[in-house]
Amino acid sequence: MERIQLRTDEVRGVRVARLEGELDKLAVETARARLDPLVAAGKLIVDLDGVTFIDSAGLHALFGLSRMAAPQGGGIALVVSDTSPTARVIGLVHLGDVVPVCASVDEAVAVLQVSRSEDEG
């Protein structure tokens, strides 16, 4: 069984990648191989509520996704509820300074739709 599971769906026209499991150095390559094409395709929400553990390699991967999204003209937002085991770590490294970190998928969709309308305007 893979350490990290990823399933995708769409919410109000924005793709959502839902991760479950451990996002650590053993799972990062698998996660990035699936997430990179999604970021390259446009707006993406990465839902981390199912992530039970994240290490520095996982955090580095998330920072990398944010850097990748900027030149593509897309954008990403992360979803991490306050009760998620990864919420404190994401706050400690100030990931929210480079990518929107939202408490719910609905909030992340709203953030990305606002940035889409600003890009078009």
Side-chain angles (χ1 to χ4, degrees), residues 16-121:
V16 180
R18 300 178 192 272
L19 295 174
E20 295 179 7
E22 298 180 2
L23 186 56
D24 59 13
K25 74 177 192 172
L26 300 174
V28 163
E29 285 186 38
T30 300
R32 284 295 302 259
R34 299 207 37 217
L35 289 170
D36 286 359
L38 297 174
V39 170
K43 305 271 186 200
L44 178 68
I45 294 168
V46 181
D47 184 344
L48 300 169
D49 272 348
V51 173
T52 57
F53 176 81
I54 189 167
D55 69 3
S56 61
L59 292 167
H60 182 73
L62 295 175
F63 277 106
L65 287 173
S66 70
R67 286 188 301 273
M68 182 181 173
Q72 300 290 335
I76 68 167
L78 304 178
V79 172
V80 182
S81 66
D82 290 340
T83 59
S84 169
T86 61
R88 184 166 186 261
V89 175
I90 287 174
L92 286 171
V93 299
H94 300 280
L95 190 54
D97 292 350
V98 295
V99 63
V101 178
C102 305
S104 70
V105 170
D106 286 336
E107 180 184 342
V109 168
V111 165
L112 290 179
Q113 287 178 335
V114 165
S115 68
R116 178 187 303 156
S117 63
E118 288 173 357
D119 292 343
E120 293 170 356

